[in-house]
Amino acid sequence: MSEHDVTLTVNGRRRRARVPARLTLVDFLREHLRLTGTHAGCEHGVCGACSVLLDGRPVRSCLIFAVQAQGAEITTVEGLAPEPGALSVLQDSFCEAHGLQCGFCTPGMLIAAEALLRTTLSPSEAEIRDAIGGNLCRCTGYKQIVDAVRLAAERLRGSNLAGAGHD
Amino acid sequence: MTEPAFRYIGRKRRPKEDRRFVAGAGRFVADLALPDMLHVALVASPYPAARIRAIDTGAALALPGVRAVLTGEDLAQATDALLSGLDIPKVRRFPLAVGRARYVGEWVAAVVAETRAIAEDAAELVDVDYEPLPFVIDPEAALLPDAPLVHPEHGSNLLYRRTFTWGAVAQDFAAAEHSLSFRARWHRSATVPIETFGVIASWDAQARLLDVWASIQMPKYPDQLARALRLPGNAVRVHFDVDVGGAYGVKRGIKHSVLAGYLACKLGAPVRLIEDRLENMRGGDAHGPDRIFDVAVAFTGEGVVRSLRLRALDDAGAYAGRAPLQLGKPVGAIVGPYRIASVEYEAISVTTNKTVQEAVRGFGQSPTNFALETMMDRVACALGIDRVELRRRNLIARDEFPYTIPSGSTYDSGDYHAVLAKALDAVGYDALVARRAAARAAGKLAGIGIACCLEPSGGNSAFEPLFNPKNETTTWMESCSVKVDLSGTITAAMATSSSGQGHETLVATVIGEVLERDPETIRVVHSDSLAALPSNSAVGSRMAIMLGGAAAGAARALKATLLAIAAHNLGADTAVLDWREGGVRLSADPSRALSWEALVEIAHRKFHLLPPGMAPGLQAMHVWEVPTGGGLPSADGRIQMYPCYAFEAHVVYAELDRDTGQVALGTYVIGHDCGTMINPDIVHGMTYGGAAHGIGAALYERFRYDANGQLVSGSFMDYLIPSAHEVPNITIVDHYTPSPLTAFGQKGSGEAGYLGAPAALASAVNDALATLGLGVAELPMSASALGELLAATARPEEKAP
């Protein structure tokens, strides 16, 4: 099994590693960097639990190899909060609306919603459902997740600081 | 009924658990890493039935990094068979197939290696010599005299059969003006959590202690694990502080855990087994009910249902764990919310060469509710009575509670008419009927679904003695301990893991309510199994009732202790004292008081100020038996199954696409009454989620087998879980009828939504199909199934030339 050097930025921190070619990005994040907030749900690109932002766009980290992320900027759920121990407006809104239950799909949902809110702070319900439409949740029936994203958008609009709490 | 005023219960409060999850700081089993941990990959049978002639492990063992390859023969020597819910000693089940594989995906060997990738590479090198054998996939075919036997030693594919007769069924049918019969089919689906099952086991040879971390939701898991591994109960320590990524019944990886536990002991290193998705869906033994109902119903010309004959044939798959008992739980609500005087119930469990069935949300109640509600729709249709009106004529009335049904369970409380009325009001039923008429006039296939369903709650295990007289289980207790430390803060310990139900919030809210302390300041921990009190885990919609009741009991005991300390120090009887936010004062003279802090100080430091005979410190525990529990079934199988009964009324609008067979859901309202809600956001969330799960079971989800016995829906590409696009914006309308049996009037709600949605969707689709003279009584009503039905009956002018 061939090994390769990879350099990438994860949550603002530059990381270098030598990894097997077949190592997926999700396994790299979880097993090598111990960033276990990103979850592996299906490992075939359907459930979305492993979503991360790659250069600002949501991707399935189970469907790309770590070496393919060479030079990329990755944001995982651990990178959403403005500082350790704090929560972003989006994360706080998920708590307020109880937009989760078991918490397993939650990091992927947050990543999908974060990507949406980076493009619009006035999403319609249809836009929210589209944004999270590639992320499966078995607990919530999505209602309180949609509520949470809408609440976060409202708060971010009201703050006059679009992107507050975002990197 | 007006809801009583609580300080914390029933109010909007953020669940305590949410914060760690949104931060990505949950602690799921796959997030744990132990030093020198080894990884397991499984070798799975490609045949539905085959004799295992030989297993050549040489090539796998030769691969660098591989530490062991284990076969079923070896494992069966060293462990005891897994427990069955039935008395069927010849149907033996081990984590790995022994001598014979009985379904596609069954684990035949386990490979242990330094990384999961190496283990998977090596699994492909294990050479198994199979001799394919005849197999059976269809549950009815399995009962034919010449059917291949799944377990030849057992002598039959029949695992369980009993006909219960409660009341004068024959006379009621003979006397009734009308009767009808039909067949309904609930195909195999499951809960399929987004997190697969996983376990880590680590053996300390010096301490002779097996530590286990698992994604588990299973009653008596530590005990079953210890027994199978032939270890003393106190040599297994299960860590319940592992977050479980969804369960809804199925997270019962006992075979995974016995396997990992055995390997950890044998290899002297921590062993991790995390299912991948295919293993989860094919070999994880987590499929749900697979049921054929034959229903006959006797009724009057006014639509009053008099009697019911229900035959349920369920396909347990290749082995029988607890799954066949899912035919037993519905006995406790066998007439649904209706006044039906007599019932005959034939419960049949068969084994076939399919993946093993496990408990699924509702434990057999949702399929049964689907059969019952299909029956009510058919009676309405037969008599030309409006479906809502028909239900009104049969629903148990508010003043009839407590109401005992023919099978022996007493429904605690309810107001079904009011909940149905609320749901109809909220949906704007007349307007919805007009909308359906307009849609139909425009050529659309439109329908309205109605379902009235019960959620038996407070999870007891009375179906165990009902289905196996050798099993005399009559308690299904739950426990909680609470202590106040020297600083005055409160810590409570629960004795099981959680999978999204918000138990920490539940316990903190209940204790906060009793002691009038802010739940935000109360910490709730999940004990390990050696430190824990007895628990039967979060099954059967029981935790609001049972853990809530245990927490309330422990908090009340603490309060009594503090009041006694106060009485002793204030020189007054407790009867003349007032409790105010944890402090105590004389009712007649509030200036004479002791604060919470002062009382805590006395308990922890000032033995000389304690009442004589009182132990120092501030701690209490409460172990609570299920209310109404404790009894064995009568000879004719009457038993109080669960204590509390929540009710839900679904009203849903649906349109079918004539060309594709796809069902699009519109307005959806659920009227719901689960008594007092401890945390409304949590209850509502589970209800929305349960409905979404029910939408999946009704329209999309099916573990489908082909003629070769191969599972053809083993991924999320072909086993379709509803996304945010398929689940509509559901409106929940709450109603409040307290249970007289529980600490605060609460009932269970963990299965809400799921127990009614399949029935409601079947009702809606059939309402739409009825305009073409068609009907369907088979779930899931997939687009392909409905499309074929519509195509086969397309009007001649629509058929292609």
Side-chain angles (χ1 to χ4, degrees), chain B residues 495-507:
Chain B
T496 184
S497 47
S498 302
S499 47
Q501 305 95 333
H503 298 141
E504 293 163 35
T505 304
L506 162 70
V507 169

Side-chain angles (χ1 to χ4, degrees), chain B residues 140-368:
Chain B
E140 290 191 293
L143 289 178
L144 297 176
D146 58 345
L149 295 180
V150 180
H151 295 268
E153 327 70 82
H154 180 64
S156 158
N157 290 327
L158 185 67
L159 297 175
Y160 181 82
R161 172 180 243 148
R162 182 170 171 186
T163 302
F164 301 90
T165 305
W166 300 298
V169 176
Q171 293 93 316
D172 286 343
F173 264 84
E177 294 164 71
H178 302 274
S179 66
L180 63 80
S181 60
F182 65 95
R183 170 167 277 210
R185 183 76 168 96
W186 175 287
H187 283 292
R188 184 172 273 246
S189 57
T191 74
V192 196
I194 306 301
E195 182 208 45
T196 61
F197 182 80
V199 56
I200 298 172
S202 179
W203 174 246
D204 182 332
Q206 304 310 326
R208 297 197 57 76
L209 180 61
L210 185 74
D211 279 293
V212 178
W213 296 263
S215 175
I216 194 77
Q217 178 212 22
M218 180 175 178
K220 299 185 170 74
Y221 170 70
D223 178 72
Q224 288 195 35
L225 193 47
R227 282 174 197 271
L229 291 169
R230 300 173 183 164
L231 289 171
N234 64 2
V236 172
R237 178 166 60 188
V238 179
H239 296 263
F240 288 125
D241 57 350
V242 173
D243 289 315
V244 179
Y248 336 96
V250 302
K251 284 270 178 77
R252 305 198 183 183
I254 186 68
K255 76 168 188 182
H256 314 56
S257 305
V258 171
L259 175 59
Y262 170 75
L263 289 168
C265 295
K266 180 182 160 76
L267 301 173
V271 170
R272 173 173 118 150
L273 194 173
I274 308 286
E275 292 173 336
D276 68 19
R277 185 51 64 183
L278 178 60
E279 279 159 6
N280 171 261
M281 300 180 81
R282 192 178 63 170
D285 292 359
H287 287 193
D290 182 350
R291 205 165 282 194
I292 300 167
F293 292 101
D294 287 298
V295 186
V297 54
F299 50 100
T300 70
E302 287 74 44
V304 176
V305 176
R306 294 292 192 206
S307 188
L308 161 67
R309 282 195 175 107
L310 187 64
R311 178 182 188 266
L313 170 65
D314 192 82
D315 181 348
Y319 297 89
R322 207 170 159 76
L325 302 179
Q326 296 188 90
L327 287 162
K329 186 264 188 83
V331 165
I334 200 70
V335 294
Y338 305 113
R339 244 188 261 107
I340 300 176
S342 61
V343 180
E344 179 185 288
Y345 179 52
E346 184 181 12
I348 310 164
S349 177
V350 302
T351 180
T352 66
N353 294 103
K354 285 159 50 180
T355 296
V356 181
Q357 190 189 122
E358 193 40 274
V360 157
R361 198 175 209 155
F363 212 64
Q365 193 68 51
S366 192
T368 308

Side-chain angles (χ1 to χ4, degrees), chain B residues 411-678:
Chain B
Y411 296 170
D412 56 335
S413 65
D415 190 349
Y416 306 156
H417 288 273
V419 178
L420 176 59
K422 266 191 178 177
L424 293 167
D425 276 355
V427 83
Y429 190 63
D430 292 342
L432 197 65
V433 170
R435 180 176 157 198
R436 177 181 64 184
R440 286 177 176 174
K444 291 183 175 166
L445 285 174
I448 296 172
I450 309 283
C452 293
C453 298
L454 290 179
E455 179 179 358
S457 60
N460 204 342
S461 203
F463 35 73
E464 288 184 29
L466 182 65
F467 271 37
N468 179 3
K470 290 181 182 168
N471 181 333
E472 293 198 343
T473 299
T474 59
T475 179
W476 204 241
M477 76 296 265
E478 196 60 41
S479 314
C480 187
S481 63
V482 185
K483 65 174 187 175
V484 183
D485 58 40
L486 185 49
S487 80
T489 60
I490 300 167
T491 303
M494 53 179 289
T496 184
S497 47
S498 302
S499 47
Q501 305 95 333
H503 298 141
E504 293 163 35
T505 304
L506 162 70
V507 169
T509 305
V510 162
I511 293 170
E513 187 69 41
V514 171
L515 296 178
E516 301 181 14
R517 308 295 292 176
D518 184 356
E520 203 63 42
T521 66
I522 298 172
R523 188 173 297 278
V524 181
V525 300
H526 299 255
S527 295
D528 68 62
S529 61
L530 295 187
L533 297 167
S535 167
N536 284 288
S537 83
V539 298
S541 284
R542 69 196 303 272
M543 289 312 242
I545 296 167
M546 293 306 302
L547 179 58
R556 284 170 180 162
L558 262 187
K559 185 175 175 180
T561 298
L562 288 159
L563 279 166
I565 295 171
H568 182 67
N569 283 276
L570 293 171
D573 192 89
T574 51
V576 300
L577 299 178
D578 279 348
W579 180 274
R580 286 281 188 282
E581 298 181 353
V584 180
R585 62 192 189 188
L586 276 177
S587 312
D589 180 6
S591 71
R592 294 184 57 205
L594 281 166
S595 68
W596 169 265
E597 291 74 17
L599 291 167
V600 170
E601 182 85 3
I602 290 170
H604 274 286
R605 286 193 195 279
K606 301 177 180 172
F607 193 72
H608 61 287
L609 296 184
L610 285 179
M614 182 179 279
L618 268 178
Q619 54 281 320
M621 63 172 74
H622 193 71
V623 184
W624 201 37
E625 162 69 332
V626 181
T628 74
L632 288 166
S634 64
D636 66 350
R638 288 177 208 248
I639 181 73
Q640 179 75 37
M641 193 60 66
Y642 282 11
C644 304
Y645 289 81
F647 175 76
E648 57 195 58
H650 293 235
V651 186
V652 58
Y653 178 84
E655 289 184 3
L656 274 70
D657 186 306
R658 280 177 195 271
D659 298 321
T660 65
Q662 280 186 313
V663 177
L665 301 180
T667 311
Y668 196 155
V669 171
I670 301 174
H672 186 219
D673 183 356
C674 63
T676 303
M677 293 187 284
I678 307 293

Side-chain angles (χ1 to χ4, degrees), chain A residues 36-37 39 102-103 107, chain B residues 17 19-28 31 243:
Chain A
T36 53
H39 297 150
C102 79
Chain B
E17 294 86 347
R19 193 176 173 95
R20 68 174 180 265
F21 293 126
V22 300
R27 192 164 173 273
F28 299 93
D31 301 344
D243 289 315

